[in-house]
Amino acid sequence: MVNLNLNLNVESQQLRETTTPRAGHIEIPLALRDHRVSLLPISSRLSGVFKRAKIKVLGDLHGRSHYDFALHRNCGSKTMKELEALIHLAQHCDERTLFGADAIPFPSSVLTVPPSRADLRFVDLPISKRLYRTIHKIGIERLGDLNGQNAIQLQEHPGVGPSRVAEIQQLVMQATAGEFKDLVLHVPFSAADLRFADLPISKRVTCLIKKLRIERLGDLDGRSSVEFLAYPGVGQRTVAEIKHLVARAAAHEFTALEIDESEKVPELIRLIETSIERLHPDDRQIFLEKIGYEDRPLLTVSDLGKKQGVTREAIRLTIEKVVVALRKSWGPRIPVLLDIVRDRCTLGVCPLTPELLCFWLAGRDARFKLSPRMHVRIISELDKAIPAWPNGYEVKKENQDFARHVAEILRSANGHLSFAQVFSQLTYRAKYSRWSVQTFLQTIRRMNGMVGVDCAVPQIPVLHLIAK
């Protein structure tokens, strides 16, 4: 029995290698004889006939008679016609016509993975669960492990069929075309410590960050977008926003630049105007009307609500949302520059006025769209700790005790002193020992007419007595 099987195998091998079969028998071109029939686009009936006839490659058909297959079960006239059509295609057409134009199932098509994509992990690639289980059975982890293999070698593994082979080959083609170059996120080292709380992210990304339990941008390094898509409520828009965020971080948009001290305030104004331009048109209009244009009167929250047809609370929430968006639009850059402005005002004991802002801009204000007065109001909205006087000194009959104490200090100094000198002497008194510069400047702004303010030199404002 063993000798008989050996003789049959030898005879089958000899028929496969024979160039010219006997008359009336099937002839398969030599170039196609090693191709597996499981990769052919054939019907289930013909595939079952081949399986029962133990036809694994096209070379097994070479030298066989058509009538050999007619004796098999479920091989009727339709199946015979399909077989004849298949043989005709094999004899007169090329490989791509025979196997289909969209597939590359040929043994000669050796998989070639570019070196730049060889380290891509299958867990990071957009593949089906069936293919992932297949890859796990094969025992490979990276795309480069497929380099040099062909369709026949892949199908030798259990559970790997034509559809899995086609999917693998399509995956390699996509990698070769460069489709997976930004699949894995790479956060630069300079931006790794940026906190998400300081970055301009949407509620969708905020929810994803909470699910991932991460706090800094560097925690995204090496993660794949496929991992994000596995979370509920995360789609392509969320993934695109994360990629855009990392791209902005790589371009150093969120990194505080090492610039000259004289350029820091102009940089703040430039960032603010750019951020305002990026706002939604409706939000931008409400915010600027609340701030007040140079040639228009200030509108209250109630006035804006009536104009927009919404409640005061809706306007207040819109303003609050815009302020948060402006502060985060460039990461920590705007808050850092606002701190510099606050420190300058605090150390110099001087309020932020349009004149002082023009002095800091040093002639650069002409290139900005909004007026200095509007920028003072915007800066005051972005940081309430900055003592801002957009409309200058306001004479009001308030804080009479404070005005009397300031007048006493001025009388002892020939009637005029700078803000810094008055604040220094005032804080020696027990009543004012805990006062901050912000409280001092806010109180001066609403002082009665006993004491006047001279801001001719905006960086060194002066208090003086008013003659009765």
Side-chain angles (χ1 to χ4, degrees):
M1 185 67 179
V2 176
N3 293 335
L4 180 60
N5 288 336
L6 290 175
N7 292 334
L8 289 174
N9 291 335
V10 171
E11 182 180 356
S12 175
Q13 183 70 18
Q14 290 175 351
L15 288 173
R16 188 184 307 174
E17 296 176 355
T18 303
T19 304
T20 304
R22 297 189 296 271
H25 289 69
I26 299 173
E27 180 181 359
I28 300 296
L30 185 62
L32 298 178
R33 294 179 189 175
D34 290 331
H35 292 64
R36 299 177 68 90
V37 295
S38 58
L39 301 177
L40 291 169
I42 57 178
S43 66
S44 299
R45 297 188 306 271
L46 184 56
S47 178
V49 171
F50 284 160
K51 186 175 181 180
R52 287 186 288 273
K54 298 183 180 180
I55 303 296
K56 296 182 179 180
V57 294
L58 284 175
D60 293 338
L61 294 173
H62 186 72
R64 301 284 293 269
S65 173
H66 294 78
Y67 301 103
D68 294 343
F69 299 97
L71 300 176
H72 287 278
R73 180 166 55 88
N74 291 337
C75 189
S77 58
K78 287 186 178 181
T79 309
M80 289 299 298
K81 288 180 180 179
E82 185 181 357
L83 176 60
E84 292 174 359
L86 177 65
I87 295 170
H88 178 78
L89 284 175
Q91 292 173 348
H92 300 89
C93 299
D94 57 2
E95 293 176 332
R96 190 165 294 276
T97 305
L98 180 63
F99 288 90
D102 297 332
I104 315 175
F106 319 125
S108 57
S109 300
V110 177
L111 297 177
T112 304
V113 181
S116 59
R117 303 289 178 266
D119 291 333
L120 286 175
R121 300 183 307 166
F122 286 103
V123 294
D124 298 330
L125 296 176
I127 60 177
S128 64
K129 292 183 178 179
R130 295 189 301 270
L131 181 57
Y132 182 76
R133 288 194 294 266
T134 300
I135 294 299
H136 184 69
K137 290 179 182 178
I138 295 176
I140 57 179
E141 297 181 356
R142 302 184 181 275
L143 198 63
D145 297 334
L146 292 172
N147 205 18
Q149 299 195 42
N150 56 38
I152 292 180
Q153 292 173 338
L154 291 174
Q155 288 202 90
E156 292 178 354
H157 297 281
V160 182
S163 57
R164 298 291 80 73
V165 171
E167 190 174 352
I168 290 174
Q169 291 170 334
Q170 184 67 26
L171 197 67
V172 174
M173 289 177 61
Q174 290 177 325
T176 305
E179 292 190 17
F180 305 135
K181 60 182 179 181
D182 57 347
L183 192 65
V184 179
L185 298 177
H186 298 285
V187 181
F189 180 76
S190 59
D193 290 333
L194 289 173
R195 300 188 310 155
F196 288 106
D198 300 329
L199 297 177
I201 57 177
S202 64
K203 291 183 178 179
R204 299 188 303 270
V205 176
T206 303
C207 292
L208 176 61
I209 295 305
K210 290 181 180 178
K211 294 174 183 177
L212 294 173
R213 297 182 179 180
I214 57 179
E215 296 181 356
R216 302 184 181 276
L217 195 65
D219 297 331
L220 292 176
D221 190 56
R223 292 179 178 260
S224 169
S225 58
V226 178
E227 177 186 354
F228 304 146
L229 293 172
Y231 287 90
V234 179
Q236 294 296 337
R237 290 179 59 186
T238 306
V239 172
E241 183 180 350
I242 293 176
K243 291 181 179 179
H244 181 64
L245 190 71
V246 174
R248 291 185 65 186
H252 304 289
E253 289 191 17
F254 303 135
T255 307
L257 301 177
E258 296 295 334
I259 57 178
D260 189 69
E261 189 70 22
S262 62
E263 294 292 333
K264 290 182 178 180
V265 175
E267 176 70 7
L268 172 63
I269 302 301
R270 184 188 69 81
L271 295 179
I272 289 176
E273 289 202 348
T274 304
S275 303
I276 291 176
E277 289 295 325
R278 294 178 179 178
L279 292 173
H280 189 276
D282 294 340
D283 294 343
R284 180 170 63 246
Q285 180 183 357
I286 292 174
F287 179 72
L288 292 180
E289 287 184 348
K290 172 64 172 62
I291 294 301
Y293 289 96
E294 190 71 21
D295 55 345
R296 303 178 194 175
L298 288 172
L299 296 179
T300 63
V301 176
S302 298
D303 295 336
L304 284 173
K306 293 177 181 178
K307 183 177 180 180
Q308 298 292 331
V310 296
T311 62
R312 294 182 302 171
E313 182 65 13
I315 297 296
R316 189 190 67 80
L317 292 176
T318 301
I319 299 298
E320 183 179 326
K321 179 184 69 174
V322 170
V323 169
V324 173
L326 291 179
R327 285 183 61 90
K328 292 185 176 182
S329 57
W330 296 91
R333 290 176 66 177
I334 288 182
V336 167
L337 293 173
L338 289 173
D339 291 343
I340 293 174
V341 173
R342 186 182 67 247
D343 292 342
R344 286 186 181 183
C345 293
T346 302
L347 293 175
V349 193
C350 59
L352 179 62
T353 61
E355 294 76 17
L356 180 59
L357 187 62
C358 290
F359 174 77
W360 285 342
L361 293 176
R364 301 181 184 88
D365 55 322
R367 67 186 183 186
F368 299 120
K369 296 181 181 180
L370 304 179
S371 65
R373 191 180 308 278
M374 292 186 68
H375 278 298
V376 171
R377 291 171 179 163
I378 293 172
I379 291 173
S380 176
E381 287 288 338
L382 296 180
D383 192 342
K384 297 293 185 180
I386 295 177
W389 291 12
N391 299 322
Y393 176 62
E394 300 176 2
V395 178
K396 293 189 177 182
K397 292 183 178 180
E398 299 178 7
N399 306 316
Q400 295 184 4
D401 291 342
F402 173 77
R404 187 174 63 255
H405 295 157
V406 171
E408 293 175 359
I409 295 174
L410 293 176
R411 289 192 190 97
S412 63
N414 297 324
H416 64 276
L417 285 174
S418 67
F419 279 25
Q421 292 171 327
V422 173
F423 177 73
S424 176
Q425 295 187 33
L426 194 66
T427 51
Y428 280 116
R429 303 189 178 193
K431 183 177 180 179
Y432 306 105
S433 60
R434 295 181 180 274
W435 274 36
S436 65
V437 173
Q438 288 79 7
T439 305
F440 171 74
L441 293 175
Q442 183 180 5
T443 309
I444 285 180
R445 186 183 177 189
R446 297 181 178 274
M447 199 167 48
N448 66 2
M450 188 182 302
V451 177
V453 175
D454 183 7
C455 293
V457 182
Q459 68 273 23
I460 309 177
V462 174
L463 288 170
H464 61 85
L465 290 172
I466 297 177
K468 296 183 179 179

